[in-house]
Short mmCIF file of all heavy atoms in Angstrom, two decimals:
data_model
loop_
_atom_site.label_atom_id
_atom_site.label_comp_id
_atom_site.label_asym_id
_atom_site.label_seq_id
_atom_site.Cartn_x
_atom_site.Cartn_y
_atom_site.Cartn_z
N PRO T 1 0.82 -1.20 0.00
CA PRO T 1 0.00 -0.02 0.01
C PRO T 1 0.85 1.24 0.01
O PRO T 1 1.85 1.33 0.68
CB PRO T 1 -0.82 -0.14 1.27
CG PRO T 1 -0.87 -1.61 1.50
CD PRO T 1 0.42 -2.16 1.05
N GLY T 2 0.42 2.22 -0.79
CA GLY T 2 1.21 3.46 -0.96
C GLY T 2 2.19 3.41 -2.09
O GLY T 2 2.74 4.48 -2.44
N GLY T 3 2.40 2.28 -2.68
CA GLY T 3 3.36 2.13 -3.76
C GLY T 3 2.82 2.59 -5.10
O GLY T 3 1.67 3.03 -5.17
N SER T 4 3.63 2.45 -6.10
CA SER T 4 3.31 2.91 -7.47
C SER T 4 3.60 1.84 -8.50
O SER T 4 4.52 1.03 -8.32
CB SER T 4 4.07 4.18 -7.81
OG SER T 4 3.74 5.25 -6.98
N LEU T 5 2.83 1.89 -9.57
CA LEU T 5 3.08 1.06 -10.74
C LEU T 5 2.73 1.88 -11.97
O LEU T 5 1.87 2.75 -11.92
CB LEU T 5 2.25 -0.22 -10.74
CG LEU T 5 2.65 -1.34 -9.78
CD1 LEU T 5 1.54 -2.39 -9.76
CD2 LEU T 5 3.97 -1.95 -10.16
N ARG T 6 3.36 1.55 -13.08
CA ARG T 6 3.05 2.16 -14.36
C ARG T 6 2.69 1.08 -15.36
O ARG T 6 3.53 0.24 -15.70
CB ARG T 6 4.21 2.98 -14.87
CG ARG T 6 3.91 3.77 -16.17
CD ARG T 6 5.17 4.41 -16.69
NE ARG T 6 4.98 5.31 -17.81
CZ ARG T 6 5.71 5.29 -18.91
NH1 ARG T 6 6.72 4.41 -19.06
NH2 ARG T 6 5.45 6.15 -19.88
N LEU T 7 1.45 1.03 -15.78
CA LEU T 7 0.96 0.07 -16.73
C LEU T 7 1.09 0.60 -18.13
O LEU T 7 0.95 1.78 -18.39
CB LEU T 7 -0.48 -0.31 -16.47
CG LEU T 7 -0.85 -0.70 -15.02
CD1 LEU T 7 -2.30 -1.11 -14.93
CD2 LEU T 7 0.05 -1.79 -14.51
N SER T 8 1.33 -0.32 -19.10
CA SER T 8 1.40 0.03 -20.50
C SER T 8 0.44 -0.86 -21.28
O SER T 8 0.20 -2.02 -20.94
CB SER T 8 2.82 -0.17 -21.05
OG SER T 8 3.75 0.67 -20.40
N CYS T 9 -0.10 -0.30 -22.34
CA CYS T 9 -0.95 -1.04 -23.29
C CYS T 9 -0.46 -0.68 -24.68
O CYS T 9 -0.64 0.45 -25.09
CB CYS T 9 -2.42 -0.70 -23.09
SG CYS T 9 -3.53 -1.32 -24.37
N VAL T 10 0.06 -1.66 -25.38
CA VAL T 10 0.52 -1.47 -26.75
C VAL T 10 -0.57 -1.99 -27.69
O VAL T 10 -1.03 -3.10 -27.57
CB VAL T 10 1.86 -2.19 -27.02
CG1 VAL T 10 2.28 -1.99 -28.45
CG2 VAL T 10 2.93 -1.69 -26.06
N VAL T 11 -0.93 -1.14 -28.63
CA VAL T 11 -2.06 -1.42 -29.53
C VAL T 11 -1.48 -1.60 -30.96
O VAL T 11 -0.64 -0.80 -31.39
CB VAL T 11 -3.07 -0.27 -29.52
CG1 VAL T 11 -4.28 -0.62 -30.40
CG2 VAL T 11 -3.53 0.00 -28.10
N SER T 12 -1.99 -2.58 -31.68
CA SER T 12 -1.64 -2.75 -33.07
C SER T 12 -2.87 -3.15 -33.85
O SER T 12 -3.88 -3.55 -33.30
CB SER T 12 -0.54 -3.82 -33.23
OG SER T 12 -0.99 -5.09 -32.75
N GLY T 13 -2.80 -2.94 -35.16
CA GLY T 13 -3.87 -3.31 -36.04
C GLY T 13 -4.88 -2.19 -36.33
O GLY T 13 -5.89 -2.45 -37.01
N ILE T 14 -4.67 -0.99 -35.82
CA ILE T 14 -5.56 0.13 -36.04
C ILE T 14 -4.75 1.39 -36.23
O ILE T 14 -3.55 1.46 -36.00
CB ILE T 14 -6.52 0.32 -34.83
CG1 ILE T 14 -5.73 0.62 -33.53
CG2 ILE T 14 -7.45 -0.83 -34.64
CD1 ILE T 14 -6.51 1.28 -32.46
N ILE T 15 -5.44 2.41 -36.69
CA ILE T 15 -4.87 3.75 -36.74
C ILE T 15 -5.05 4.34 -35.34
O ILE T 15 -6.08 4.91 -35.00
CB ILE T 15 -5.55 4.62 -37.81
CG1 ILE T 15 -5.47 3.92 -39.17
CG2 ILE T 15 -4.89 6.00 -37.86
CD1 ILE T 15 -6.29 4.61 -40.25
N PHE T 16 -4.03 4.18 -34.51
CA PHE T 16 -4.16 4.37 -33.06
C PHE T 16 -4.63 5.78 -32.71
O PHE T 16 -5.45 5.97 -31.79
CB PHE T 16 -2.81 4.04 -32.41
CG PHE T 16 -2.77 4.30 -30.93
CD1 PHE T 16 -3.36 3.42 -30.05
CD2 PHE T 16 -2.12 5.41 -30.43
CE1 PHE T 16 -3.33 3.65 -28.68
CE2 PHE T 16 -2.09 5.65 -29.07
CZ PHE T 16 -2.67 4.76 -28.20
N ASN T 17 -4.07 6.78 -33.34
CA ASN T 17 -4.25 8.16 -32.89
C ASN T 17 -5.68 8.68 -32.99
O ASN T 17 -6.03 9.66 -32.35
CB ASN T 17 -3.31 9.09 -33.65
CG ASN T 17 -3.60 9.15 -35.14
OD1 ASN T 17 -3.40 8.19 -35.87
ND2 ASN T 17 -4.12 10.27 -35.62
N ILE T 18 -6.55 8.02 -33.75
CA ILE T 18 -7.91 8.47 -33.89
C ILE T 18 -8.88 7.89 -32.85
O ILE T 18 -10.03 8.25 -32.82
CB ILE T 18 -8.47 8.20 -35.31
CG1 ILE T 18 -8.65 6.71 -35.54
CG2 ILE T 18 -7.54 8.83 -36.36
CD1 ILE T 18 -9.38 6.42 -36.83
N TYR T 19 -8.38 6.99 -32.00
CA TYR T 19 -9.22 6.30 -31.05
C TYR T 19 -9.10 6.84 -29.63
O TYR T 19 -7.99 7.22 -29.22
CB TYR T 19 -8.89 4.81 -31.02
CG TYR T 19 -9.43 4.05 -32.22
CD1 TYR T 19 -8.69 3.91 -33.38
CD2 TYR T 19 -10.69 3.48 -32.15
CE1 TYR T 19 -9.19 3.25 -34.47
CE2 TYR T 19 -11.19 2.79 -33.23
CZ TYR T 19 -10.42 2.67 -34.38
OH TYR T 19 -10.95 1.99 -35.48
N ALA T 20 -10.18 6.87 -28.93
CA ALA T 20 -10.15 7.07 -27.49
C ALA T 20 -9.75 5.74 -26.84
O ALA T 20 -10.12 4.67 -27.34
CB ALA T 20 -11.51 7.52 -26.97
N MET T 21 -9.04 5.82 -25.73
CA MET T 21 -8.55 4.64 -25.03
C MET T 21 -9.04 4.66 -23.61
O MET T 21 -9.18 5.71 -22.97
CB MET T 21 -7.02 4.57 -25.03
CG MET T 21 -6.39 4.48 -26.41
SD MET T 21 -6.79 2.94 -27.25
CE MET T 21 -6.16 1.70 -26.08
N GLY T 22 -9.28 3.47 -23.07
CA GLY T 22 -9.71 3.33 -21.69
C GLY T 22 -8.91 2.26 -20.95
O GLY T 22 -8.48 1.28 -21.57
N TRP T 23 -8.77 2.43 -19.65
CA TRP T 23 -8.27 1.43 -18.76
C TRP T 23 -9.42 0.92 -17.90
O TRP T 23 -10.20 1.72 -17.37
CB TRP T 23 -7.14 1.95 -17.84
CG TRP T 23 -5.82 2.00 -18.51
CD1 TRP T 23 -5.18 3.06 -19.05
CD2 TRP T 23 -4.90 0.87 -18.67
NE1 TRP T 23 -3.94 2.72 -19.55
CE2 TRP T 23 -3.75 1.37 -19.35
CE3 TRP T 23 -4.97 -0.48 -18.35
CZ2 TRP T 23 -2.67 0.56 -19.66
CZ3 TRP T 23 -3.89 -1.28 -18.69
CH2 TRP T 23 -2.78 -0.76 -19.33
N TYR T 24 -9.48 -0.37 -17.75
CA TYR T 24 -10.49 -1.04 -16.96
C TYR T 24 -9.83 -1.94 -15.93
O TYR T 24 -8.68 -2.34 -16.05
CB TYR T 24 -11.40 -1.92 -17.84
CG TYR T 24 -12.07 -1.19 -18.97
CD1 TYR T 24 -11.35 -0.81 -20.09
CD2 TYR T 24 -13.44 -0.92 -18.94
CE1 TYR T 24 -11.96 -0.16 -21.15
CE2 TYR T 24 -14.04 -0.27 -19.98
CZ TYR T 24 -13.34 0.09 -21.08
OH TYR T 24 -13.94 0.75 -22.12
N ARG T 25 -10.60 -2.29 -14.92
CA ARG T 25 -10.08 -3.30 -13.97
C ARG T 25 -11.22 -4.20 -13.55
O ARG T 25 -12.39 -3.83 -13.55
CB ARG T 25 -9.45 -2.63 -12.75
CG ARG T 25 -10.38 -1.87 -11.85
CD ARG T 25 -9.56 -1.15 -10.78
NE ARG T 25 -10.44 -0.39 -9.85
CZ ARG T 25 -9.97 0.43 -8.96
NH1 ARG T 25 -8.65 0.63 -8.82
NH2 ARG T 25 -10.83 1.07 -8.17
N GLN T 26 -10.85 -5.41 -13.18
CA GLN T 26 -11.82 -6.41 -12.73
C GLN T 26 -11.21 -7.14 -11.55
O GLN T 26 -10.28 -7.92 -11.71
CB GLN T 26 -12.18 -7.37 -13.85
CG GLN T 26 -13.29 -8.32 -13.48
CD GLN T 26 -13.84 -9.09 -14.65
OE1 GLN T 26 -13.11 -9.38 -15.61
NE2 GLN T 26 -15.10 -9.44 -14.61
N ALA T 27 -11.76 -6.90 -10.39
CA ALA T 27 -11.35 -7.59 -9.20
C ALA T 27 -12.04 -8.95 -9.13
O ALA T 27 -13.10 -9.16 -9.74
CB ALA T 27 -11.69 -6.77 -7.95
N ALA T 28 -11.46 -9.83 -8.38
CA ALA T 28 -12.02 -11.20 -8.24
C ALA T 28 -13.46 -11.14 -7.76
O ALA T 28 -13.76 -10.47 -6.75
CB ALA T 28 -11.16 -12.00 -7.28
N GLY T 29 -14.35 -11.76 -8.49
CA GLY T 29 -15.73 -11.83 -8.12
C GLY T 29 -16.50 -10.56 -8.41
O GLY T 29 -17.70 -10.49 -8.07
N LYS T 30 -15.91 -9.58 -9.06
CA LYS T 30 -16.57 -8.32 -9.35
C LYS T 30 -16.68 -8.10 -10.86
O LYS T 30 -16.04 -8.76 -11.65
CB LYS T 30 -15.76 -7.17 -8.75
CG LYS T 30 -15.52 -7.24 -7.25
CD LYS T 30 -16.78 -7.06 -6.44
CE LYS T 30 -16.51 -7.07 -4.94
NZ LYS T 30 -15.61 -5.95 -4.53
N GLN T 31 -17.53 -7.13 -11.20
CA GLN T 31 -17.70 -6.79 -12.60
C GLN T 31 -16.54 -5.90 -13.06
O GLN T 31 -15.93 -5.21 -12.26
CB GLN T 31 -19.04 -6.04 -12.83
CG GLN T 31 -20.24 -6.88 -12.59
CD GLN T 31 -21.51 -6.20 -13.01
OE1 GLN T 31 -21.80 -6.11 -14.23
NE2 GLN T 31 -22.21 -5.62 -12.08
N ARG T 32 -16.26 -5.90 -14.33
CA ARG T 32 -15.27 -5.04 -14.91
C ARG T 32 -15.74 -3.58 -14.84
O ARG T 32 -16.90 -3.31 -15.12
CB ARG T 32 -15.00 -5.42 -16.37
CG ARG T 32 -13.71 -4.90 -16.92
CD ARG T 32 -13.59 -5.20 -18.40
NE ARG T 32 -13.78 -6.63 -18.71
CZ ARG T 32 -12.80 -7.50 -18.84
NH1 ARG T 32 -11.52 -7.09 -18.69
NH2 ARG T 32 -13.05 -8.76 -19.14
N GLU T 33 -14.83 -2.69 -14.42
CA GLU T 33 -15.22 -1.29 -14.31
C GLU T 33 -14.19 -0.42 -15.06
O GLU T 33 -12.99 -0.68 -15.05
CB GLU T 33 -15.28 -0.84 -12.85
CG GLU T 33 -13.99 -0.88 -12.08
CD GLU T 33 -14.06 -0.24 -10.72
OE1 GLU T 33 -14.91 0.66 -10.51
OE2 GLU T 33 -13.24 -0.61 -9.85
N LEU T 34 -14.70 0.64 -15.65
CA LEU T 34 -13.88 1.64 -16.31
C LEU T 34 -13.28 2.55 -15.29
O LEU T 34 -14.01 3.14 -14.50
CB LEU T 34 -14.72 2.40 -17.33
CG LEU T 34 -14.07 3.50 -18.16
CD1 LEU T 34 -12.99 2.95 -19.07
CD2 LEU T 34 -15.11 4.28 -18.92
N VAL T 35 -11.97 2.73 -15.33
CA VAL T 35 -11.29 3.59 -14.33
C VAL T 35 -10.73 4.88 -14.93
O VAL T 35 -10.56 5.84 -14.22
CB VAL T 35 -10.21 2.83 -13.55
CG1 VAL T 35 -10.82 1.66 -12.80
CG2 VAL T 35 -9.10 2.35 -14.46
N ALA T 36 -10.37 4.86 -16.22
CA ALA T 36 -9.81 6.08 -16.82
C ALA T 36 -9.97 6.05 -18.32
O ALA T 36 -9.97 5.00 -18.97
CB ALA T 36 -8.30 6.17 -16.47
N VAL T 37 -10.12 7.24 -18.87
CA VAL T 37 -10.32 7.42 -20.34
C VAL T 37 -9.39 8.53 -20.80
O VAL T 37 -9.21 9.54 -20.10
CB VAL T 37 -11.78 7.81 -20.64
CG1 VAL T 37 -11.90 8.34 -22.08
CG2 VAL T 37 -12.68 6.61 -20.46
N ILE T 38 -8.84 8.36 -21.97
CA ILE T 38 -8.16 9.46 -22.66
C ILE T 38 -8.69 9.50 -24.07
O ILE T 38 -8.74 8.50 -24.78
CB ILE T 38 -6.63 9.32 -22.60
CG1 ILE T 38 -5.96 10.56 -23.21
CG2 ILE T 38 -6.14 8.06 -23.28
CD1 ILE T 38 -4.49 10.71 -22.86
N THR T 39 -9.13 10.69 -24.50
CA THR T 39 -9.69 10.84 -25.84
C THR T 39 -8.59 10.94 -26.88
O THR T 39 -7.40 11.06 -26.53
CB THR T 39 -10.56 12.11 -25.90
OG1 THR T 39 -9.74 13.27 -25.85
CG2 THR T 39 -11.58 12.12 -24.77
N SER T 40 -8.99 10.92 -28.12
CA SER T 40 -8.00 11.11 -29.18
C SER T 40 -7.31 12.45 -29.12
O SER T 40 -6.18 12.60 -29.55
CB SER T 40 -8.66 10.92 -30.56
OG SER T 40 -9.69 11.90 -30.76
N GLY T 41 -7.99 13.43 -28.53
CA GLY T 41 -7.41 14.74 -28.38
C GLY T 41 -6.62 14.95 -27.08
O GLY T 41 -6.10 16.03 -26.84
N GLY T 42 -6.58 13.95 -26.23
CA GLY T 42 -5.79 14.00 -25.01
C GLY T 42 -6.55 14.40 -23.77
O GLY T 42 -5.92 14.56 -22.71
N ASN T 43 -7.86 14.59 -23.86
CA ASN T 43 -8.63 14.90 -22.65
C ASN T 43 -8.80 13.62 -21.84
O ASN T 43 -8.87 12.51 -22.37
CB ASN T 43 -9.98 15.46 -23.04
CG ASN T 43 -9.87 16.79 -23.73
OD1 ASN T 43 -9.13 17.67 -23.26
ND2 ASN T 43 -10.57 16.98 -24.82
N THR T 44 -8.93 13.76 -20.53
CA THR T 44 -8.96 12.62 -19.65
C THR T 44 -10.18 12.69 -18.73
O THR T 44 -10.67 13.73 -18.37
CB THR T 44 -7.72 12.52 -18.77
OG1 THR T 44 -7.55 13.75 -18.00
CG2 THR T 44 -6.48 12.30 -19.64
#
């Protein structure tokens, strides 16, 4: 607790810059939830 991590997601097969991207998480026994979004224009 209190520590840090940096996650990466490498995307291939699309024109990446035109897409909005999201990070999701799914805890054991729980539904998947959206935690962060970045638009193609860089808004979060």
Side-chain angles (χ1 to χ4, degrees):
S4 296
L5 287 170
R6 186 186 186 226
L7 309 183
S8 298
C9 169
V10 179
V11 184
S12 61
I14 60 160
I15 305 172
F16 176 78
N17 63 291
I18 68 172
Y19 284 89
M21 298 294 303
W23 279 101
Y24 304 74
R25 66 187 182 188
Q26 187 169 30
K30 304 289 184 64
Q31 294 189 78
R32 198 186 306 265
E33 64 170 336
L34 178 66
V35 300
V37 165
I38 186 164
T39 71
S40 60
N43 296 313
T44 58

